[in-house]
Structures are given as C-alpha cells and as structure tokens.
C-alpha cells in the first residue's frame, strides 16, 4: 500500500516523508521535486531548478499542468508520496490520489505555519503580493476542509518533531492503519 502525505505548505510533508520512506523502506516520491525534475529534463536542457522556479514561470499554470501529469503517473507499487500544498485543490488530482493509496493529513495549527512561512527567505508565491495574515487564514481554512475530506487519517503535528510524526505514521502503517 502507498502512503500519501497531504497538508498545508510547510506542514512537514517532505521532511516527514523522507524519514518515513527510510523507516518503511519505501521509495520516496515528492511531487514538487518530481515537477522540478520533469521541467529541468523537458524544458530546461537538464539544468536544475526548484519547484518554486517552475511555479514562478507563469504564476503556477505550467506547474499545475506538470503536476497533474505527475499525479497520474505515480507508481502503482507501494511508495511514500509527499504531495504539494495545493495538489488536492484540483478535483482530478483528488480522484486519482484517493485511488492510489492511504492518505494521511498532517494537521498543523495556522500560527505555526504562519511562523514557518514568514520566516523563509523565499516566500510562497501567492503571498508575494498579498502578504497578509487574513488572506492566509482564509486559504488555510478552505484547504483544511479539503484535506480533511480526502484524508483517511489525520495526524496532529502540534508540538511533535518530524521524527515523532514519522514514527507515529510508521506504526500506523505497520498495523495497516487499523
Ligand atoms: N514537526 C516539525 N517541527 C518543526 N519544524 C518542522 C517540522 N516539520 C517540518 N518542519 C520545518 O518546516 C519547514 C517546512 O517543511 P517541509 O518542507 O517538509 O514542508 P512541506 O509540507 O513539504 O512544504 P511544501 O508544501 O512547501 O512542500 C522546514 O524548514 C522544516 O524543517
Ligand atoms: O501551497 C501551495 O500553493 C503550494 C505548495 C508547494 O508545495 C508547491 O506545490 C507550490 O509552491 C504550491
Ligand atoms: Mg514539500
């Protein structure tokens, strides 16, 4: 069974996912990184770039279209998948993902996320022109409902280290999430 991590930007999908993949001995598929690799190979003569670079090309349009392809081509064999923060805002992606494996939502309180997002040198593209907390809270609440609807389980990450969260999920995986 594949285990798929979803949640808001900076909740820890990549950090936890990498540790969990090692712990469960599963291949790690981080869709944001796959988008950047796909773009580098197909459009950038193999020159490396970040997911953010791809996002900034046309305010996310190309990013979204590559993302949909990547989601469709995720392996059918067991893997650990870390999604992007907005992957599940697309209905087709939601349908495909729910069919690909067991989805875990990493719930993180908005204040913790706000701190992480505003502490970064490279802010989230959507915030480049709208760097205000009210807008962030609105997006947070909209997305939270979607994550909760899609996910098969929720892990409250409050006060936990990435390795605590990875261990909690690894135990759930080992027991078939019963
Ligand atoms: N449980 C945690 N406690 C403290 N810091 C954390 C925790 N999980 C992740 N972080 C930190 O938060 C930041 C964002 O983590 P990460 O990149 O894993 O998030 P993400 O969900 O993959 O974000 P994105 O949606 O941008 O891919 C990193 O600096 C990471 O070290
Ligand atoms: O929350 C978002 O809107 C995003 C989160 C990242 O993981 C990337 O998928 C991209 O930067 C968009
Ligand atoms: Mg990530």
């Amino acid at each position: 069974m594949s285990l798929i991590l979803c949640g808001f930007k900076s909740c820890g999908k990549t950090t936890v996912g990498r540790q969990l993949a090692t712990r469960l001995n599963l291949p790690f598929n981080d869709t944001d990184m796959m988008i950047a690799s796909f773009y580098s190979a197909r459009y950038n003569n193999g020159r490396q770039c970040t997911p953010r670079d791809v996002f900034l090309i046309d305010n996310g349009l190309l990013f979204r279209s590559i993302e949909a392809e990547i989601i469709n081509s995720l392996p059918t064999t067991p893997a650990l998948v870390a999604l992007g923060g907005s992957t599940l805002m697309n209905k087709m992606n939601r349908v495909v993902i729910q069919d690909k494996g067991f989805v875990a939502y990493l719930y993180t309180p908005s204040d913790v996320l706000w701190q992480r997002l505003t502490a970064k040198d490279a802010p989230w593209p959507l915030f480049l022109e709208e760097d205000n907390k009210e807008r962030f809270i609105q997006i947070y609440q909209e997305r939270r409902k979607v994550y909760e609807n899609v996910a098969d389980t929720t892990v409250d990450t409050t006060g936990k280290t990435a390795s605590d969260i990875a261990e909690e999920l690894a135990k759930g995986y080992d027991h078939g999430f019963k």
Side-chain angles (χ1 to χ4, degrees), residues 129-159:
E129 290 177 20
E130 293 185 85
D131 190 3
N132 75 75
K133 195 167 181 182
E134 272 170 40
R135 176 79 183 120
F136 159 75
I137 294 288
Q138 193 187 0
I139 298 169
Y140 174 86
Q141 283 166 349
E142 284 164 12
R143 291 187 177 186
R144 183 178 172 178
K145 287 188 212 135
V146 175
Y147 302 138
E148 284 172 351
N149 273 328
V150 174
D152 299 295
T153 192
T154 296
V155 178
D156 184 351
T157 69
T158 316

Side-chain angles (χ1 to χ4, degrees), residues 71-98:
I71 295 297
N72 267 307
S73 60
L74 281 171
T76 47
T77 47
L80 198 299
V81 179
L83 298 176
S86 58
T87 311
L88 295 178
M89 299 311 117
N90 172 299
K91 185 161 198 277
M92 271 315 293
N93 290 347
R94 288 202 288 278
V95 171
V96 175
I97 284 298
Q98 282 181 302

